[in-house]
Amino acid sequence: QSALTQPASVSGSPGQSITISCTGSSSDVGGYNFVSWYQQHPGKAPKLMIYDVNNRPSGVSNRFSGSKSGNTASLTISGLQAEDEADYYCNSHTSSNTRLFGTGTKVTVL
Amino acid sequence: EVQLVESGGGLVQPGGSLRLSCGASAFNFSNYWMHWVRQAPGKGLVWVSRINSDASRITYADSVKGRFTISRDNAKNTLYLQMSSLRAEDTAVYYCARDIMHVFGVLRQYYYAMDVWGQGTTVTVSS
């Protein structure tokens, strides 16, 4: 049960778009459309941003979008804002009926 | 307001036991699948365990299997995590979280994503 692979850090200037990748295997990301993404600010609980690859919960900005190709899922943040600076984690259902988080990505707004 | 509140964390010696609780309010707890997720200091999120609405289906991460037990009391709107044989590497903030569930008439649609989280309770395993 190794964690899904994410880049350690991604940065961008305000207004730009950034994309965070999340790579797994056919037993998790590639096998199911059950990828979710979470935002976590320091000292706070995680917040759900995307579920089922590309669905946004009510109240989440449409600047956040998700996609998947093969064993890799992606989260795109468009129109980057200062408040988007946080850690982001992907998560996937697995063939063992468990859930698996990614290694996490620190997003920095320059 | 829909809320989850964890409690029961603290300092425990290696090999010891601890029981965490997670109280739910403002939603029908008995209908939801629930999870425990942990985060070691300065590290990432790690999924620990999941229990379905009637406790008939339970799964664990390999790292805690045989040592941790998830359970729930739907009459008390409370989720539990019994932790035993604790190790230093179990030191973390422990969060409870619920899976998304939508109701369509008499049908419930469950989703594999956690939409409500507690604030976390800290467990420190040290001598």
Side-chain angles (χ1 to χ4, degrees), chain B residues 43-124:
Chain B
K43 302 297 184 180
L45 300 173
V46 176
W47 177 84
V48 173
S49 181
R50 180 220 71 190
I51 185 169
N52 72 333
S53 55
D54 65 3
S56 61
R57 282 183 278 176
I58 289 172
T59 53
Y60 298 96
D62 287 346
S63 58
V64 307
K65 201 174 295 184
R67 300 188 301 123
F68 289 12
T69 301
I70 190 172
S71 63
R72 63 191 299 160
D73 186 334
N74 286 340
K76 294 183 177 180
N77 293 331
T78 303
L79 175 73
Y80 301 101
L81 186 67
Q82 178 68 48
M83 305 184 295
S84 61
S85 303
L86 283 162
R87 308 164 180 167
E89 53 264 37
D90 295 318
T91 294
V93 174
Y94 284 75
Y95 296 99
C96 63
R98 77 171 196 187
D99 264 346
I100 301 174
M101 190 274 291
H102 292 158
V103 176
F104 300 97
V106 298
L107 298 177
R108 296 177 202 159
Q109 174 70 49
Y110 291 95
Y111 298 83
Y112 294 86
M114 294 164 257
D115 67 339
V116 177
W117 294 67
Q119 84 289 350
T121 187
T122 300
V123 173
T124 303

Side-chain angles (χ1 to χ4, degrees), chain A residues 1 34 36 38 40 44-48 50-52 89 91 93 96-103, chain B residues 35 37 39 43-47 50 59-62 95 99-100 102 111-115 117-118:
Chain A
Q1 289 184 344
F34 300 141
S36 52
Y38 301 84
Q40 187 181 34
K44 301 295 187 182
K47 174 187 176 182
L48 178 65
I50 294 287
Y51 68 97
D52 285 3
Y89 296 89
N91 180 274
H93 175 69
S96 303
N97 276 319
T98 62
R99 306 282 176 91
L100 192 58
F101 278 100
T103 50
Chain B
H35 300 260
V37 175
Q39 186 170 35
K43 302 297 184 180
L45 300 173
V46 176
W47 177 84
R50 180 220 71 190
T59 53
Y60 298 96
D62 287 346
Y95 296 99
D99 264 346
I100 301 174
H102 292 158
Y111 298 83
Y112 294 86
M114 294 164 257
D115 67 339
W117 294 67

